[in-house]
Amino acid sequence: MEAYRLVEAEWQDAELITPLFNDYRVYYGQQPDPAGALIFLQERLKAEESVIFMAVKDEAGSRQAGGFAQLYPSFSSLTMQRLWVLNDLYVAEHLRGQGLGKLLLEGVREYALSTGSKGLTLTTMTDNVRAQRLYEAQGYVRDEEFYTYDLIFK
């Protein structure tokens, strides 16, 4: 890993994250929309509706992002505690296997602990085996007890 470090993003960092966020969306079957991605990220960060961590390195006087993780706040009614949803995790394709995913997961774990939350939850595609191995190596446990249902409005 080439001197990447973890940084919590501010709304001004949205431009730095946008290319990765756009690639993430395309990976999940969405049409490219860099302008929309930038607006979405800026709105989430300005309104403090999400927390985004970036894996960045400094090169030639500028920062470059190699990956990001976006958290959304939630709560557990049963335990009456905060819970963070790790909604998005993405590492640039050419940087995979270099430890950036692990760096991001360790960072969001520390953040969740520092906020007194119950923990983290995430969902990934059933065929995303590489990500599943990463999550399980970091202590995440696959839920075999509950089903997830969605009601999506288009």
Side-chain angles (χ1 to χ4, degrees), residues 107-131:
V108 297
R109 181 184 186 281
E110 288 303 313
Y111 182 80
L113 284 167
S114 75
T115 59
S117 74
K118 172 183 177 165
L120 292 150
T121 185
L122 65 86
T123 302
T124 192
M125 293 177 59
T126 57
D127 65 352
N128 195 349
V129 176
R130 187 173 186 175

Side-chain angles (χ1 to χ4, degrees), residues 8-96:
E8 184 176 343
E10 298 178 9
W11 78 267
Q12 300 92 329
D13 295 316
E15 286 186 39
L16 188 61
I17 307 163
T18 294
L20 294 168
F21 186 69
N22 190 61
D23 289 348
Y24 168 79
R25 293 182 65 257
V26 169
Y27 175 82
Y28 280 103
Q30 300 301 307
Q31 291 298 313
D33 185 1
L38 175 61
I39 291 168
F40 181 85
L41 291 171
Q42 287 175 331
E43 288 175 349
R44 298 296 73 73
L45 290 167
K46 280 184 181 179
E48 298 181 356
E49 293 174 336
S50 74
V51 177
I52 302 176
F53 288 92
M54 315 177 290
V56 298
K57 71 175 180 174
D58 298 305
E59 189 171 279
S62 66
R63 290 192 309 170
Q64 295 182 351
F68 76 95
Q70 183 164 215
L71 300 173
Y72 291 110
S74 188
F75 297 89
S76 169
S77 298
L78 297 178
T79 62
M80 298 181 292
Q81 293 175 282
R82 175 182 297 280
L83 178 69
W84 289 100
V85 177
L86 176 51
N87 204 74
D88 312 315
L89 176 75
Y90 187 79
V91 172
E93 192 169 339
H94 69 283
L95 295 173
R96 293 181 187 161

